Amino acid sequence: AVLFDLTRPEPEIVEIRLAIQDDLECDNRVWAVVRPERTKILLAGPGNFFLDKALAHLKDADAFRTEDVKSASLGDYDIVVLDGVMPDPLPEGRYLILGALPRWEGLKAQGEIAQPAVMDWDRRHPVARRITFANLYIKSAPKVTLPGFAVPVVEGPDDVPLIFAWEKGRTRAVVATFKLLESDWPLRLSFPMFIANSLDWLRED
């Protein structure tokens, strides 16, 4: 990955070119639309040092924290990060859910699986871009069954989803079913990369 600092005023479109000459010039150029607006993110939960650090590195977002998710106005934020907490009902919106399961239609959990090994992950999904999930230690995870429109991103034994993406109606979400602090994932480089990828995917139109 290569990082670029944009000048101010920020351009609306950025073009990057590879300074090489080959037989296919069209794949040496790429464009990106610059987001002028900042994303408002609400982090709800008891507090997590690793999650705070991952969110602190986002330059185009403002993160706010609350421990009492029931009193928060979730609709005032572009993305809500739920760390081990789950309001009921959960209104439509964009969510990154960690260590909790919403009561959504078609989403079922029966029992738990102890120390599930990561068997595979969807390398094509934007949430898993440039990330390896191999050899994660997870103390336990619920045995989740997904409806047809939900997509498993990381799978454990017997195709049990450990992380999945959800899109239905006006709701888009990324859900990690296991508790972060009962795993070694926050200590790995893949964790802040996952947070950044998830937030990028959630704020896409």
Side-chain angles (χ1 to χ4, degrees):
V2 180
L3 302 180
F4 299 90
D5 288 328
L6 299 179
T7 58
R8 292 187 177 276
E10 293 180 347
E12 294 182 359
I13 298 178
V14 174
E15 178 185 357
I16 300 174
R17 300 183 183 182
L18 294 179
I20 61 175
Q21 293 184 349
D22 57 18
D23 294 333
L24 190 62
E25 197 276 335
C26 65
D27 68 346
N28 298 335
R29 305 165 69 187
V30 67
W31 294 266
V33 178
V34 180
R35 296 189 185 94
E37 72 280 357
R38 297 180 65 83
T39 303
K40 289 181 63 178
I41 300 174
L42 176 65
L43 173 56
N48 184 320
F49 169 81
F50 303 100
L51 191 53
D52 289 343
K53 292 288 286 184
L55 293 175
H57 289 289
L58 300 175
K59 294 183 178 181
D60 56 352
D62 296 313
F64 304 86
R65 165 177 286 284
T66 182
E67 293 186 8
D68 185 10
V69 68
K70 294 181 180 180
S71 64
S73 179
L74 304 186
D76 292 341
Y77 300 89
D78 300 306
I79 300 173
V80 177
V81 181
L82 299 171
D83 180 25
V85 296
M86 182 55 58
D88 188 24
L90 186 63
E92 293 179 326
R94 306 287 176 106
Y95 297 97
L96 173 57
I97 301 173
L98 307 167
L101 289 175
R103 294 184 180 180
W104 284 332
E105 181 181 357
L107 182 61
K108 301 177 181 178
Q110 293 182 333
E112 290 197 347
I113 181 171
Q115 298 184 14
V118 173
M119 306 304 292
D120 198 8
W121 62 91
D122 185 355
R123 293 157 180 82
R124 298 170 299 176
H125 198 284
V127 169
R129 187 175 62 247
R130 301 190 302 271
I131 296 179
T132 176
F133 295 91
N135 302 317
L136 282 183
Y137 168 78
I138 300 171
K139 183 179 179 180
S140 65
K143 294 181 180 180
V144 175
T145 302
L146 300 179
F149 51 82
V151 177
V153 177
V154 179
E155 293 181 300
D158 301 322
D159 299 327
V160 172
L162 302 174
I163 300 173
F164 64 88
W166 178 283
E167 287 187 271
K168 185 178 181 182
R170 296 169 59 187
T171 296
R172 175 181 284 193
V174 179
V175 182
T177 65
F178 55 92
K179 297 179 181 178
L180 289 182
L181 298 184
E182 294 183 357
S183 73
D184 65 355
W185 195 22
L187 303 175
R188 296 174 179 252
L189 178 60
S190 62
F191 178 69
M193 295 175 65
F194 165 81
I195 297 298
N197 284 353
S198 297
L199 295 178
D200 281 344
W201 182 70
L202 289 171
R203 57 187 168 185
E204 287 179 358
D205 294 330

